[in-house]
């Protein structure tokens, strides 16, 4: 199951805050801020989907993520690789490095990350 674009935006705020009341989440949005009813609806849907949990505190709810950002992102990247690159990580890497405007420094950082992963695999 996945999140809509507006749900993902709200989830980004929740991941940053780790725990938040609705007023805290509303404060994270730039102006013009969404209506509180919109955020409440999004939180309800995200709770039903199993992405968000909450603790009842009096009349308020403190929300927290049930899914780690890294797990969510990993699932989507793997889905992209499967769907658009014939399940080939090397095709994805080739596309990513050639079609994005990466600086020489960023490419060196990627190479270093790959080299580090190769060393870990040897161990």
């Amino acid at each position: 199951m996945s999140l809509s674009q507006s749900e993902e935006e709200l989830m980004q705020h929740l991941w940053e805050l780790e725990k938040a009341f609705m007023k805290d989440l509303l404060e994270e949005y730039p102006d013009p801020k969404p209506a509180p009813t919109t955020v409440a609806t999004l939180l309800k849907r995200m709770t039903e989907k199993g992405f968000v949990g909450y603790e009842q505190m009096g009349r308020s709810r403190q929300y927290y993520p049930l899914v780690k950002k890294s797990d969510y992102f990993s699932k989507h990247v793997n889905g992209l690789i499967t769907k658009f690159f014939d399940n080939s990580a090397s095709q994805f890497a080739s596309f990513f490095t050639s079609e994005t405007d990466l600086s020489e420094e960023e490419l060196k950082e990627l190479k270093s990350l790959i080299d580090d992963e190769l060393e870990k695999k040897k161990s």
Side-chain angles (χ1 to χ4, degrees):
M1 192 167 309
S2 62
L3 297 171
S4 69
Q5 186 174 352
S6 54
E7 290 169 339
E8 276 186 7
E9 182 179 7
L10 180 55
M11 197 71 189
Q12 289 285 359
H13 298 311
L14 194 53
W15 279 321
E16 286 177 28
L17 297 171
E18 296 179 6
K19 286 188 175 184
F21 294 98
M22 189 161 60
K23 68 176 178 59
D24 302 321
L25 292 166
L26 279 166
E27 288 174 12
E28 292 295 308
Y29 282 92
D31 289 325
K33 296 186 184 306
T37 53
T38 301
V39 174
T41 299
L42 291 172
L43 286 167
K44 183 177 188 290
R45 284 197 320 226
M46 293 161 67
T47 300
E48 290 169 355
K49 289 180 177 182
F51 285 92
V52 173
Y54 63 86
E55 184 179 339
Q56 192 74 40
M57 301 182 136
R59 292 182 48 179
S60 298
R61 291 179 176 176
Q62 186 178 42
Y63 294 93
Y64 53 89
L66 293 174
V67 175
K68 291 180 185 175
K69 184 177 183 177
S70 59
D71 292 343
Y72 184 76
F73 185 68
S74 175
K75 179 182 173 203
H76 283 277
V77 169
N78 287 327
L80 279 173
I81 291 170
T82 300
K83 186 174 181 178
F84 295 106
F85 298 98
D86 297 325
N87 209 23
S88 169
S90 58
Q91 282 184 25
F92 170 74
S94 174
F95 175 84
F96 179 74
T97 55
S98 63
E99 297 297 323
T100 56
D101 193 22
L102 296 173
S103 69
E104 184 178 347
E105 186 61 34
E106 289 170 320
L107 287 168
K108 286 178 180 176
E109 286 177 35
L110 283 174
K111 184 180 181 309
S112 176
L113 290 169
I114 291 168
D115 289 343
D116 290 348
E117 285 300 314
L118 285 169
E119 284 301 314
K120 287 180 189 174
K121 300 278 184 195
K122 289 179 184 177
S123 303

